[in-house]
Amino acid sequence: MTLLTERPIDKKLPSEKIPQEAFDWYDEYAHGDIDRRTFLSRLGTLSVTGLTLSVVAGALTPNYALAEQVSFNDPDITASYVEYDSPNGHGKARGYLVIPKQVNTNNKAPAILVAHENRGLNPYIEDVARRLAKAGFVAFAPDALFPLGGYPGNDDEGRAMQKTLDGNKIEGDFMDAATLLKNHDLSTGKVGMVGFCYGGYLTNALAAAMPDTIHAGAPYYGTPAKSNVDKIKAPLQLHFAELDTRVNGTWPDYENNLKANKVDYTAYVYPKANHGFHNDSTARYQEKNAELAWQRTISFFKKSLNA
């Protein structure tokens, strides 16, 4: 693995002002291990000079106004919501499709499937899809919550909704989305996948389950595929946060499995980074690490999907 040395920078509240315990508790809260009351109660036990509980809690809670790097109205892209058939999932699904303006049936582009965290298709993930389109890819970000009406507008409710869904059907929705991209009129047929947290798991899982469809995978702080690692054909570029002990604990066994099955992979660990460091809507965000990881991801997809 490669270790980076950049000092983290945050748009919202400098992460160095927030005790590491607060990040760890937020991770537990965001993944359903503790409820909101317990999370806030724990924050109340911290003594942070110059910062109130509400300021710390607010810094850790997503503010999606901070996450827009590419506007929906950017002249270089066309973005829309598209429903598609999902026989392997919930029957019908919907996602956010973003097409570069220069792409047409005579000038096709590789496609990237974007997988969200455990809370549905939020504005940050939509912006990630737009960033990919700005880089020249056809990008598609499904919403696992479509069977329940779609992302509800806040993460707490989104997490609760996603918990009620059958995980196998969610995976089926994303698998059918990958097939849609492979066969899309504007796609070259080469499909990459990037995902964050739960979406990182989905990226690993689909690379294993769909070796002839997924041609490159870039999971961010995602847990391993549960099966069929020996079937993976796609190169993987894996991104980990140094302080993310929960996910990092799963990596050694997964790495051994990848090595045993001769999977082409590169893994990076970003120093002093917490789970979610790429998400620029909270204090977990680290600008330099996030930008470096993203530059690597774009270069990886260009190399892997244009070969």
PDB file of all heavy atoms in Angstrom, residues 166-179:
ATOM      1  N   ASP A 166     -34.343  -5.528   1.211  1.00  0.00           N
ATOM      2  CA  ASP A 166     -33.607  -6.773   1.014  1.00  0.00           C
ATOM      3  C   ASP A 166     -32.283  -6.450   0.325  1.00  0.00           C
ATOM      4  O   ASP A 166     -32.266  -5.947  -0.806  1.00  0.00           O
ATOM      5  CB  ASP A 166     -34.449  -7.720   0.161  1.00  0.00           C
ATOM      6  CG  ASP A 166     -33.812  -9.075  -0.054  1.00  0.00           C
ATOM      7  OD1 ASP A 166     -32.565  -9.179  -0.014  1.00  0.00           O
ATOM      8  OD2 ASP A 166     -34.554 -10.058  -0.274  1.00  0.00           O
ATOM      9  N   GLY A 167     -31.180  -6.743   1.004  1.00  0.00           N
ATOM     10  CA  GLY A 167     -29.867  -6.433   0.446  1.00  0.00           C
ATOM     11  C   GLY A 167     -29.613  -7.115  -0.885  1.00  0.00           C
ATOM     12  O   GLY A 167     -28.955  -6.542  -1.770  1.00  0.00           O
ATOM     13  N   ASN A 168     -30.125  -8.318  -1.063  1.00  0.00           N
ATOM     14  CA  ASN A 168     -29.924  -9.018  -2.335  1.00  0.00           C
ATOM     15  C   ASN A 168     -30.636  -8.303  -3.474  1.00  0.00           C
ATOM     16  O   ASN A 168     -30.131  -8.267  -4.610  1.00  0.00           O
ATOM     17  CB  ASN A 168     -30.439 -10.457  -2.225  1.00  0.00           C
ATOM     18  CG  ASN A 168     -29.577 -11.304  -1.313  1.00  0.00           C
ATOM     19  OD1 ASN A 168     -28.356 -11.138  -1.244  1.00  0.00           O
ATOM     20  ND2 ASN A 168     -30.195 -12.234  -0.596  1.00  0.00           N
ATOM     21  N   LYS A 169     -31.803  -7.727  -3.179  1.00  0.00           N
ATOM     22  CA  LYS A 169     -32.510  -6.992  -4.221  1.00  0.00           C
ATOM     23  C   LYS A 169     -31.819  -5.678  -4.541  1.00  0.00           C
ATOM     24  O   LYS A 169     -31.828  -5.233  -5.692  1.00  0.00           O
ATOM     25  CB  LYS A 169     -33.962  -6.764  -3.802  1.00  0.00           C
ATOM     26  CG  LYS A 169     -34.815  -8.034  -3.844  1.00  0.00           C
ATOM     27  CD  LYS A 169     -36.286  -7.734  -3.599  1.00  0.00           C
ATOM     28  CE  LYS A 169     -37.121  -8.998  -3.739  1.00  0.00           C
ATOM     29  NZ  LYS A 169     -38.571  -8.733  -3.525  1.00  0.00           N
ATOM     30  N   ILE A 170     -31.240  -5.045  -3.524  1.00  0.00           N
ATOM     31  CA  ILE A 170     -30.454  -3.833  -3.807  1.00  0.00           C
ATOM     32  C   ILE A 170     -29.303  -4.179  -4.740  1.00  0.00           C
ATOM     33  O   ILE A 170     -29.054  -3.481  -5.732  1.00  0.00           O
ATOM     34  CB  ILE A 170     -29.917  -3.209  -2.506  1.00  0.00           C
ATOM     35  CG1 ILE A 170     -31.055  -2.653  -1.652  1.00  0.00           C
ATOM     36  CG2 ILE A 170     -28.927  -2.083  -2.834  1.00  0.00           C
ATOM     37  CD1 ILE A 170     -30.601  -2.092  -0.314  1.00  0.00           C
ATOM     38  N   GLU A 171     -28.598  -5.263  -4.429  1.00  0.00           N
ATOM     39  CA  GLU A 171     -27.501  -5.673  -5.298  1.00  0.00           C
ATOM     40  C   GLU A 171     -28.015  -5.957  -6.700  1.00  0.00           C
ATOM     41  O   GLU A 171     -27.370  -5.615  -7.697  1.00  0.00           O
ATOM     42  CB  GLU A 171     -26.789  -6.892  -4.705  1.00  0.00           C
ATOM     43  CG  GLU A 171     -26.010  -6.576  -3.441  1.00  0.00           C
ATOM     44  CD  GLU A 171     -25.192  -7.736  -2.916  1.00  0.00           C
ATOM     45  OE1 GLU A 171     -24.722  -8.552  -3.739  1.00  0.00           O
ATOM     46  OE2 GLU A 171     -25.013  -7.833  -1.679  1.00  0.00           O
ATOM     47  N   GLY A 172     -29.195  -6.574  -6.792  1.00  0.00           N
ATOM     48  CA  GLY A 172     -29.784  -6.849  -8.101  1.00  0.00           C
ATOM     49  C   GLY A 172     -30.082  -5.589  -8.879  1.00  0.00           C
ATOM     50  O   GLY A 172     -29.869  -5.527 -10.103  1.00  0.00           O
ATOM     51  N   ASP A 173     -30.571  -4.558  -8.186  1.00  0.00           N
ATOM     52  CA  ASP A 173     -30.826  -3.275  -8.856  1.00  0.00           C
ATOM     53  C   ASP A 173     -29.544  -2.707  -9.444  1.00  0.00           C
ATOM     54  O   ASP A 173     -29.540  -2.166 -10.567  1.00  0.00           O
ATOM     55  CB  ASP A 173     -31.424  -2.269  -7.870  1.00  0.00           C
ATOM     56  CG  ASP A 173     -32.873  -2.566  -7.504  1.00  0.00           C
ATOM     57  OD1 ASP A 173     -33.557  -3.270  -8.266  1.00  0.00           O
ATOM     58  OD2 ASP A 173     -33.308  -2.085  -6.432  1.00  0.00           O
ATOM     59  N   PHE A 174     -28.444  -2.793  -8.701  1.00  0.00           N
ATOM     60  CA  PHE A 174     -27.173  -2.261  -9.193  1.00  0.00           C
ATOM     61  C   PHE A 174     -26.595  -3.156 -10.288  1.00  0.00           C
ATOM     62  O   PHE A 174     -25.984  -2.648 -11.242  1.00  0.00           O
ATOM     63  CB  PHE A 174     -26.195  -2.083  -8.032  1.00  0.00           C
ATOM     64  CG  PHE A 174     -26.382  -0.799  -7.284  1.00  0.00           C
ATOM     65  CD1 PHE A 174     -27.349  -0.678  -6.299  1.00  0.00           C
ATOM     66  CD2 PHE A 174     -25.619   0.324  -7.577  1.00  0.00           C
ATOM     67  CE1 PHE A 174     -27.552   0.511  -5.619  1.00  0.00           C
ATOM     68  CE2 PHE A 174     -25.809   1.527  -6.912  1.00  0.00           C
ATOM     69  CZ  PHE A 174     -26.780   1.623  -5.928  1.00  0.00           C
ATOM     70  N   MET A 175     -26.803  -4.449 -10.191  1.00  0.00           N
ATOM     71  CA  MET A 175     -26.353  -5.342 -11.262  1.00  0.00           C
ATOM     72  C   MET A 175     -27.075  -5.035 -12.569  1.00  0.00           C
ATOM     73  O   MET A 175     -26.450  -4.977 -13.644  1.00  0.00           O
ATOM     74  CB  MET A 175     -26.566  -6.792 -10.847  1.00  0.00           C
ATOM     75  CG  MET A 175     -25.660  -7.249  -9.712  1.00  0.00           C
ATOM     76  SD  MET A 175     -26.064  -8.898  -9.090  1.00  0.00           S
ATOM     77  CE  MET A 175     -25.569  -9.912 -10.475  1.00  0.00           C
ATOM     78  N   ASP A 176     -28.384  -4.811 -12.485  1.00  0.00           N
ATOM     79  CA  ASP A 176     -29.126  -4.489 -13.701  1.00  0.00           C
ATOM     80  C   ASP A 176     -28.751  -3.112 -14.231  1.00  0.00           C
ATOM     81  O   ASP A 176     -28.794  -2.873 -15.441  1.00  0.00           O
ATOM     82  CB  ASP A 176     -30.633  -4.590 -13.433  1.00  0.00           C
ATOM     83  CG  ASP A 176     -31.086  -6.040 -13.268  1.00  0.00           C
ATOM     84  OD1 ASP A 176     -30.500  -6.924 -13.913  1.00  0.00           O
ATOM     85  OD2 ASP A 176     -32.013  -6.289 -12.482  1.00  0.00           O
ATOM     86  N   ALA A 177     -28.363  -2.210 -13.336  1.00  0.00           N
ATOM     87  CA  ALA A 177     -27.861  -0.909 -13.779  1.00  0.00           C
ATOM     88  C   ALA A 177     -26.548  -1.067 -14.539  1.00  0.00           C
ATOM     89  O   ALA A 177     -26.309  -0.379 -15.542  1.00  0.00           O
ATOM     90  CB  ALA A 177     -27.682   0.019 -12.587  1.00  0.00           C
ATOM     91  N   ALA A 178     -25.691  -1.962 -14.069  1.00  0.00           N
ATOM     92  CA  ALA A 178     -24.424  -2.213 -14.762  1.00  0.00           C
ATOM     93  C   ALA A 178     -24.682  -2.770 -16.163  1.00  0.00           C
ATOM     94  O   ALA A 178     -24.023  -2.377 -17.138  1.00  0.00           O
ATOM     95  CB  ALA A 178     -23.562  -3.173 -13.948  1.00  0.00           C
ATOM     96  N   THR A 179     -25.651  -3.665 -16.258  1.00  0.00           N
ATOM     97  CA  THR A 179     -26.007  -4.219 -17.569  1.00  0.00           C
ATOM     98  C   THR A 179     -26.565  -3.130 -18.477  1.00  0.00           C
ATOM     99  O   THR A 179     -26.244  -3.076 -19.677  1.00  0.00           O
ATOM    100  CB  THR A 179     -27.044  -5.339 -17.406  1.00  0.00           C
ATOM    101  OG1 THR A 179     -26.482  -6.384 -16.588  1.00  0.00           O
ATOM    102  CG2 THR A 179     -27.446  -5.925 -18.746  1.00  0.00           C
TER     103      THR A 179
END
